[in-house]
Amino acid sequence: MTLPELPPSTLRLQIDKGALAHNWRELDRLSGTARAGAAVKASCYGLGVDHVVPVLEEAGARDFFVAHWAEVPAVMQHVPAECISVLHGPLGEADIRFAKETGARPVINSLYQARLWRDAGGGPCDVMVDTGMNRLGLSMAEIGEAIVSDLQIHTLISHLASADEDVALNALQLERFTAAAQQVPAQCRSLANSAGIALGASYAFDLTRPGLALYGGIPHPGLAGRIRQVACPQAQVLQLRDLSPGDTVGYNATFTARRAMRSATVSLGYADGFLRSWAKAGMLMHNGTELPILGRVSMDLVIVDCGAASQLREGDWLDLEYDLPRAAQLSGLSQYELLTLLGRRFCRTA
Ligand SMILES: *Cc1c(COP(=O)(O)O)cnc(C)c1O
């Protein structure tokens, strides 16, 4: 049976292409003599590869980072595979074959991965050196191993653990990375993520790898006022109701109306990435008017007090607070989580 055309979603996520391009250009400018790349893992932090990558490419980005091999094909629809690096690196034959056949570059993170890649014939790869995060990458001792000098290294990478804080670890990582770059021959050197760009020119090297700030996040006060909001999620009002004093609202009846009031039930829940932690201090907005959340967030629904929006109608769209620093404060979630949580039921448009 052929299905009729699907009705429109009651959830939409507007992606501001102008703001996205502006953010990349601003981060590229702040990177000084280095060029800015783009972290596009996790479907461009949840915003969708097809809406984001063409805009970044058009703005001038040429270096794209994903985490998984499975993330390569979607990005390859928009940029040559040679522009894509896979941060998790290869773990077996299938990964190696995929890398060779597509041309996407593995990031080599361990001596095991280095051997796998060399034994398969090698070719251009990136290398991650761990300068103090103890997460992924060759240790400072391991980069001296003979196998590393056998590799054909395009970009030498390291990742900052605390670039969003003013702590001594940043300078220590910078010092170690500088030493690693002197020891390991590579065409290109890359240390800074979004927050790292704000740490200054000495952290930029040849290539920076912003992710969060491209998408409107502000991980460091040095980026405040320069980065624009990109993701604007909205949800539709399904029903309005009148509550009498003593009526309770939602699961476990955690809110009780003290007076007669009007509530709106909205098509938005934790299955959409609007987690229950929003209930404490959160709200939705109608033309800038704040409508506080009442009771618990359900899987598919949330209830708000719409007393402040007397003209609100069923079917109207409400805005989520997605100025990321503010949203993080209100929800207790990180700016990264707020973006990557946004669920599949949002219809993404740009
Ligand atoms: C995710 C990631 C980035 C981007 O970091 P942001 O803090 O989002 O700018 C850069 N480099 C690596 C290795 C990453 O995993």
Side-chain angles (χ1 to χ4, degrees):
M1 152 191 179
T2 53
L3 285 170
E5 191 185 341
L6 268 186
S9 175
T10 52
L11 287 164
R12 60 191 185 197
L13 175 55
Q14 184 70 32
I15 292 152
D16 185 336
K17 286 183 177 182
L20 178 62
H22 161 90
N23 291 346
W24 185 83
R25 280 191 229 103
E26 189 68 13
L27 291 160
D28 188 56
R29 199 180 60 73
L30 290 169
S31 299
T33 56
R35 63 187 191 276
V40 296
K41 59 200 183 189
S43 275
C44 299
Y45 290 43
L47 302 192
V49 167
D50 294 341
H51 294 302
V52 168
V53 173
V55 177
L56 296 176
E57 199 271 342
E58 165 82 17
R62 293 294 176 266
D63 308 83
F64 297 86
F65 295 86
V66 296
H68 290 242
W69 293 100
E71 294 176 325
V72 170
V75 181
M76 269 178 73
Q77 296 292 308
H78 306 288
V79 299
E82 292 68 30
C83 300
I84 307 170
S85 296
V86 181
L87 291 162
H88 285 189
L91 270 187
E93 288 306 317
D95 295 339
I96 299 277
R97 214 175 312 123
F98 188 83
K100 298 260 180 201
E101 283 181 24
T102 57
R105 269 200 316 281
V107 177
I108 301 298
N109 289 294
S110 64
L111 292 175
Y112 169 75
Q113 292 191 346
R115 277 183 220 110
L116 259 186
W117 186 244
R118 182 202 55 190
D119 295 349
C125 64
D126 296 344
V127 165
M128 172 75 78
V129 54
D130 194 300
T131 53
M133 193 170 188
N134 286 301
R135 195 177 65 166
L136 279 179
L138 295 161
S139 69
M140 289 299 287
E142 286 170 334
I143 56 171
E145 300 267 336
I147 182 138
V148 177
S149 40
D150 290 347
L151 296 173
Q152 195 181 321
I153 304 172
H154 183 283
T155 304
L156 182 70
I157 302 174
S158 192
H159 193 49
L160 296 165
S162 308
D164 56 346
E165 295 179 283
D166 182 17
V167 291
L169 183 55
N170 293 324
L172 180 61
Q173 288 197 267
L174 175 60
E175 186 188 317
R176 288 177 178 159
F177 187 64
T178 304
Q182 276 162 9
Q183 197 179 338
V184 179
Q187 276 179 46
C188 172
R189 302 157 303 160
S190 176
L191 176 62
N193 60 349
S194 301
I197 293 171
L199 295 180
S202 58
Y203 287 79
F205 291 89
D206 305 310
L207 171 68
T208 59
R209 306 184 309 275
L212 184 72
L214 292 174
Y215 311 115
I218 301 179
H220 189 286
L223 299 178
R226 302 175 184 274
I227 294 298
R228 286 165 49 188
Q229 182 175 340
V230 172
C232 305
Q234 295 183 306
Q236 225 168 356
V237 175
L238 298 175
Q239 193 172 11
L240 296 173
R241 44 195 330 127
D242 291 305
L243 303 174
S244 305
D247 282 350
T248 61
V249 167
Y251 279 122
N252 306 102
T254 59
F255 176 82
T256 305
R258 297 286 161 221
R259 50 179 169 80
M261 61 188 290
R262 194 136 229 247
S263 69
T265 305
V266 184
S267 170
L268 173 70
Y270 56 77
D272 305 303
F274 194 75
L275 300 194
R276 300 196 333 167
S277 61
W278 272 105
K280 219 179 235 171
M283 81 300 264
L284 298 178
M285 266 136 13
H286 182 62
N287 298 331
T289 302
E290 297 191 356
L291 312 179
I293 292 169
L294 302 177
R296 296 220 159 128
V297 176
S298 312
M299 185 183 295
D300 316 300
L301 298 164
V302 64
I303 300 157
V304 295
D305 174 356
C306 59
S310 53
Q311 319 79 0
L312 193 69
R313 298 272 176 273
E314 291 172 354
D316 281 355
W317 290 91
L318 299 183
D319 299 304
L320 281 71
E321 172 58 81
Y322 248 66
D323 169 69
L324 290 171
R326 173 137 202 261
Q329 219 162 36
L330 290 168
S331 65
L333 299 165
S334 75
Q335 297 180 56
Y336 296 84
E337 289 168 316
L338 285 163
L339 289 171
T340 56
L341 280 165
L342 290 169
R344 292 161 187 260
R345 296 194 293 199
F346 277 96
C347 175
R348 288 154 171 80
T349 51

